[in-house]
Amino acid sequence: MKNRPAYAIESVDRALRLATLLQQEGSIGVTEAAETLGISVSGAHRLFAMLVYRDFAEQLPDRTYGPGSVLRAARAADAPLALLRTLGPPRLRELTERTGESSNLFVRVGAETRFVTTVESDRALRVGDRSGTSLPAHLTSAGRAMLATLSAAELAEVYAEVADVDPRALHRRLARVRADGYAANRNATEDGVTAVGAAVAGPDGTPVCGISVGLPSSRFTPALLPDLATAVLETAADLADDLAAGLT
């Protein structure tokens, strides 16, 4: 498992997380950035000032900040990220309390899944915070659950330029996920990590995001899977209801 360094430099970590947010989301306001990073508004202003100075960010006419020239190559997510950051954490905390394991909220952008927020377990051995990182969608549990809702033609479009993935074979492998409604991943994204994930539907039935619960593979047994899957599916349904109310 990839864990936080013992001697992490907080200011560098915050600047990198903010740069990642800009790259993935397209634009973000100072107050939202401060809340997401857990810092003061004045601290967020100072971080933005340095990112602007180094061309990682630029200030937009509406006073929010967007990615600068260094970051513009990345594709932004279409999901309502500000709303997900408001509605997601309370549901993730419930999931973590219920299972005793860390939980995550993802969005899918093309062939990758991006971690939006994490609620960590309080166990000494746990899966750490993955906020701001990206992984191939076909390897993550929540990514597989979201991909499973696509038709064969839609999947082929997503993976048209991904050389190492056969979309037809992937569509066949996702049949079990379509039947179960959830996906499991054991050591597929990282050695020593197992996760169970599900898609969260928007008001029109298409996935807005995905959630997962992750735990050290050393603690996972097949007997745990039904309870983990039930917890994830019920949390996904609750979050879908929250989104339906928030988007109307």
Side-chain angles (χ1 to χ4, degrees):
M1 296 183 290
K2 184 169 66 174
N3 293 312
R4 183 179 176 82
Y7 300 101
I9 303 173
E10 292 293 339
S11 60
V12 174
D13 184 52
R14 288 175 185 141
L16 292 173
R17 288 177 61 196
L18 184 54
T20 301
L21 289 173
L22 289 169
Q23 184 182 54
Q24 296 179 348
E25 300 181 16
S27 67
I28 187 170
V30 175
T31 300
E32 184 183 353
E35 291 174 352
T36 300
L37 297 175
I39 60 176
S40 66
V41 171
S42 61
H45 270 296
R46 290 193 293 272
L47 285 178
F48 275 124
M50 284 306 302
L51 293 181
V52 169
Y53 176 65
R54 292 296 183 184
D55 294 322
F56 282 82
E58 65 179 17
Q59 192 168 38
L60 304 176
D62 64 357
R63 309 295 292 176
T64 64
Y65 288 83
S69 58
V70 175
L71 300 177
R72 284 188 192 130
R75 178 182 166 189
D78 296 325
L81 292 167
L83 183 60
L84 289 175
R85 286 205 184 89
T86 299
L87 300 178
R91 293 302 183 185
L92 292 185
R93 282 192 288 272
E94 292 173 1
L95 181 58
T96 292
E97 289 172 4
R98 180 172 175 177
T99 63
E101 304 293 352
S102 300
S103 56
N104 298 287
L105 187 148
F106 305 74
V107 294
R108 183 179 67 82
V109 183
E112 68 178 22
T113 44
R114 294 176 180 169
F115 290 73
V116 175
T117 188
T118 296
V119 171
E120 288 191 58
S121 165
D122 60 5
R123 295 188 179 191
L125 179 61
R126 63 184 182 271
V127 177
D129 190 342
R130 300 293 192 266
S131 301
T133 61
S134 299
L135 290 169
H138 68 286
L139 297 181
T140 68
S141 59
R144 289 172 180 169
M146 288 185 277
L147 291 172
T149 68
L150 301 180
S151 68
E154 289 169 330
L155 204 60
E157 183 177 351
V158 169
Y159 284 93
E161 298 181 5
V162 182
D164 60 346
V165 177
D166 180 347
R168 290 174 296 182
L170 177 59
H171 190 262
R172 291 192 297 270
R173 292 199 300 272
L174 293 173
R176 178 65 180 271
V177 179
R178 286 190 289 273
D180 293 340
Y182 69 88
N185 148 33
R186 188 169 192 181
N187 305 321
T189 57
E190 189 175 339
D191 286 343
V193 174
T194 294
V196 179
V200 177
D204 63 355
T206 61
V208 173
C209 62
I211 61 169
S212 73
V213 59
L215 64 157
S217 295
S218 60
R219 196 154 58 229
F220 177 79
T221 66
L224 292 175
L225 183 58
D227 287 342
L228 291 174
T230 297
V232 168
L233 288 169
E234 291 180 354
T235 303
D238 289 339
L239 182 54
D241 289 341
D242 296 341
L243 285 169
L247 291 171
T248 55

